[in-house]
Amino acid sequence: MTVGAPLSVLIVDDSAAIRSAFSSIIRDDPGLTLMGVAADPYEAARLMRDVLPDVMLLDLELPKMDGLTFLRKIMAQRPLPVVVCSSHTETGSQAMLAALESGASEVLAKPRFDTPQARREAAIRLGDALRAAVAARRGRSVSAAPAVRPETLAPGEKFTADVILPPRAPANLPATAPLVAIGASTGGTEALREILTALPPTAPAIVIVQHMPETFTGAFARRLDTLCRIEVREAVEGDTLAPGLALIAPGNRHMLLRRVGRGYHVTLHDGPYVCRHRPSVDVLFRSVAQQAGANALGVILTGMGADGAAGMVELREAGAMTLAQDEASCIVYGMPREAVALGGVQKQLPLAALAAPIASFAGGPRSASQVGVA
């Protein structure tokens, strides 16, 4: 691939309808080009005999050889960026976890194509995931080109947090229980595992947006819960935050914070993509800025794009402490870089150094010294 050239994509899926739908999306995206389509791993291997694609879009349920086995063979013999796409089932979610552990860069759930809105959202997720996969393997500073052109958006369709939660001027808020808000995307599953497994049971309450498909977030949370000393679970409507508890936003739902006395609970919302995602880090961070202010610590981790950058600015303006994962330890230095550029980050730290300030965060104006930004 030459610099600036479209990324070549190989689709491997046994469904002719899915191959056709994905091919159409790739052809409509000026940053992508279709190298070929295959209905099984053997056909894919034949297509890759002479030239490798820049990125592969791989189903896990395939004839002749299952996709997970094929992925492992690719990574052992001819490693390349792979985006895995699987069904909305518990079995599919567990397989996607295994795919990430086997070298897949991104995971997607099989999208819907039954409405124009669903197709637009599928185009956004697919284009961003393919670019992120290449960025994760080739370089941490690759920027995402638009996956959909502005003229294709429906009237009134918005991509900022305003569509879910109106902006509000920072206010002095009373002291409440401390909490930590974390946003992550590409590479975030491993980053979150490293951070959360290092936390003690006494860690402050944590709310997390990790860009991932619905059903997958539940499996991911359960997996982390078995590894961590804190409790980790997928958030449900009305969940109350508590010390030693981390709540992960469910895939395909925005998560917001609501103050209840001196504590907090979470609410879940549908609605359009915000900053190209649902759940959106910007939506979570805005709600935390408005509801918690200086009682919160915001952390932005590895990921492609800019989701969470504007929210980090709002957190900092509201008096919250803000940290970012540094470039050297990021799989993709996109979201942290954008947050730093906007002035929303007080300090960048290596991934291995982030658990300590999270564990010790106590909220309030004196917390600056705790995270080393005073």
Side-chain angles (χ1 to χ4, degrees), residues 315-329:
L315 281 168
R316 188 171 185 181
E317 290 175 345
M321 297 300 103
T322 56
L323 299 175
Q325 184 178 351
D326 71 359
E327 182 173 6
S329 64

Side-chain angles (χ1 to χ4, degrees), residues 185-255:
S185 190
T186 310
T189 53
E190 281 303 299
L192 285 168
R193 181 193 57 76
E194 181 166 339
I195 290 171
L196 297 184
T197 54
L199 296 178
T202 55
I206 301 172
V207 283
I208 299 167
V209 164
Q210 162 69 50
H211 296 152
M212 58 178 62
E214 56 187 311
T215 74
F216 180 59
T217 44
F220 178 56
R222 288 189 293 275
R223 178 70 167 272
L224 286 175
D225 190 57
T226 66
L227 301 174
C228 297
R229 289 176 289 171
I230 64 170
E231 180 183 2
V232 184
R233 65 173 187 256
E234 183 183 52
V236 299
E237 177 67 27
D239 263 344
T240 299
L241 273 65
L245 171 65
L247 296 175
I248 298 177
N252 212 34
R253 304 290 304 279
H254 293 300
M255 183 168 72

Side-chain angles (χ1 to χ4, degrees), residues 333-363:
Y333 187 62
M335 288 160 49
R337 178 188 60 202
E338 296 300 324
V340 169
L342 289 181
V345 176
Q346 290 169 290
K347 190 176 183 67
Q348 298 186 73
L349 293 173
L351 176 60
L354 282 168
I358 290 172
S360 63
F361 181 70

Side-chain angles (χ1 to χ4, degrees), residues 259-300:
R259 179 191 296 270
V260 183
R262 291 178 59 83
Y264 305 93
H265 69 247
V266 297
T267 63
L268 305 177
H269 289 258
D270 297 319
Y273 279 22
V274 170
C275 205
R276 308 172 73 84
H277 293 283
R278 185 176 59 234
S280 163
V281 182
D282 269 339
V283 170
L284 175 64
F285 282 2
R286 173 172 288 182
S287 71
V288 171
Q290 293 181 359
Q291 298 292 313
N295 302 292
L297 166 64
V299 182
I300 194 159

